[in-house]
């Protein structure tokens, strides 16, 4: 397993251990000792997965304190363009974002610390994206910023976006409660 930093402090691209033979394939997506070495949270409380068709955009989601959480994201089938937006006021990269392709073929995942918004564009039909997070879902703390409000060029003319995500506030209107860059 290889862990590489991005330009956003605490956001890491993870190249998983992968093997393949006549039976199929095998991937290791998490290793507690390696996460400990990089000072990444290992205390995951909940896991979800979504299946998305091509050109679906989900995001940009996060939980407010005290239910904020770190996330580990990877793809078991298909491909996504994963996007992370820094919402931490004291961060040198506040308001900046990174994007990385995660796919069944490239065996990459991404670790996202608290204080960042997360979203993705599905690049293929039937893409399965897995999310592990360090707190449990809380409707009262679940929010996000609009996908078109922070400069990301998604490259899709007619994306499929939920009514909820279309109605999320603009980044410029978000008053961040996130102070500490981890």
């Amino acid at each position: 397993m290889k862990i590489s930093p991005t330009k956003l402090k605490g956001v890491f691209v993870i190249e998983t251990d992968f093997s393949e033979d006549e039976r199929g394939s095998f991937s290791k997506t998490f290793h507690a000792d390696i996460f400990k070495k990089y000072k990444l949270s290992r205390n995951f409380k909940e896991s979800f997965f979504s299946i998305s068709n091509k050109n679906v955009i989900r995001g940009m989601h996060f939980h407010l304190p005290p239910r904020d959480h770190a996330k580990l994201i990877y793809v078991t089938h298909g491909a996504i363009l994963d996007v992370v937006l820094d919402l931490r006021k004291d961060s040198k990269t506040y308001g900046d974002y990174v994007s990385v392709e995660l796919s069944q073929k490239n065996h990459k995942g991404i670790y996202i610390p608290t204080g960042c918004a997360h979203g993705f564009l599905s690049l293929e039909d039937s893409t399965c994206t897995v999310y592990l997070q360090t707190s449990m879902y809380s409707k009262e703390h679940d929010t996000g910023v609009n996908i078109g409000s922070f400069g990301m060029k998604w490259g899709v003319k007619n994306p499929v976006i939920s009514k909820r995500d279309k109605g999320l506030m603009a980044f410029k209107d978000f008053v961040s409660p996130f102070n500490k860059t981890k």
Side-chain angles (χ1 to χ4, degrees):
M1 184 173 281
K2 179 181 175 188
I3 298 185
S4 304
T6 67
K7 69 179 179 180
L8 303 182
K9 185 174 182 176
V11 177
F12 293 89
V13 174
I14 300 168
E15 294 179 48
T16 63
D17 291 339
F18 173 79
S19 62
E20 193 169 34
D21 62 23
E22 65 277 357
R23 299 170 295 167
S25 64
F26 182 82
S27 266
K28 182 191 304 188
T29 57
F30 171 75
H31 189 282
D33 289 346
I34 293 172
F35 273 50
K36 183 178 180 180
K37 175 182 172 184
Y38 286 87
K39 298 181 175 130
L40 307 181
S41 181
R42 303 170 309 282
N43 193 16
F44 296 108
K45 304 277 188 201
E46 201 164 33
S47 179
F48 303 90
F49 72 89
S50 64
I51 298 175
S52 303
N53 291 323
K54 186 175 182 176
N55 296 333
V56 165
I57 298 178
R58 295 180 186 259
M60 298 292 294
H61 305 143
F62 56 94
H63 266 57
L64 296 168
R67 296 301 279 285
D68 51 326
H69 50 245
K71 291 182 179 180
L72 174 61
I73 311 292
Y74 58 90
V75 171
T76 60
H77 181 81
I80 63 173
L81 181 63
D82 201 86
V83 179
V84 180
L85 171 65
D86 192 344
L87 302 174
R88 300 165 294 182
K89 292 186 290 189
D90 68 337
S91 172
K92 292 177 184 175
T93 55
Y94 174 76
D96 207 351
Y97 62 91
V98 294
S99 62
V100 61
E101 185 173 325
L102 309 179
S103 74
Q104 172 188 6
K105 293 177 184 173
N106 73 12
H107 316 290
K108 291 182 180 178
I110 193 163
Y111 177 86
I112 306 165
T114 61
C116 292
H118 171 254
F120 66 84
L121 165 65
S122 180
L123 301 173
E124 299 178 10
D125 283 335
S126 301
T127 292
C128 182
T129 305
V130 179
Y131 319 66
L132 283 80
Q133 60 189 45
T134 58
S135 73
M136 289 191 256
Y137 175 78
S138 169
K139 186 174 182 172
E140 300 80 47
H141 298 88
D142 182 31
T143 190
V145 295
N146 189 281
I147 64 160
S149 68
F150 61 95
M152 172 66 188
K153 304 296 182 215
W154 294 89
V156 179
K157 287 188 180 192
N158 296 306
V160 180
I161 305 168
S162 72
K163 182 177 178 181
R164 173 192 178 239
D165 288 356
K166 286 178 184 177
L168 291 172
M169 74 185 96
F171 174 68
K172 69 177 180 60
D173 297 329
F174 175 64
V175 178
S176 180
F178 302 108
N179 293 315
K180 192 172 182 183
T181 306
K182 296 179 182 178

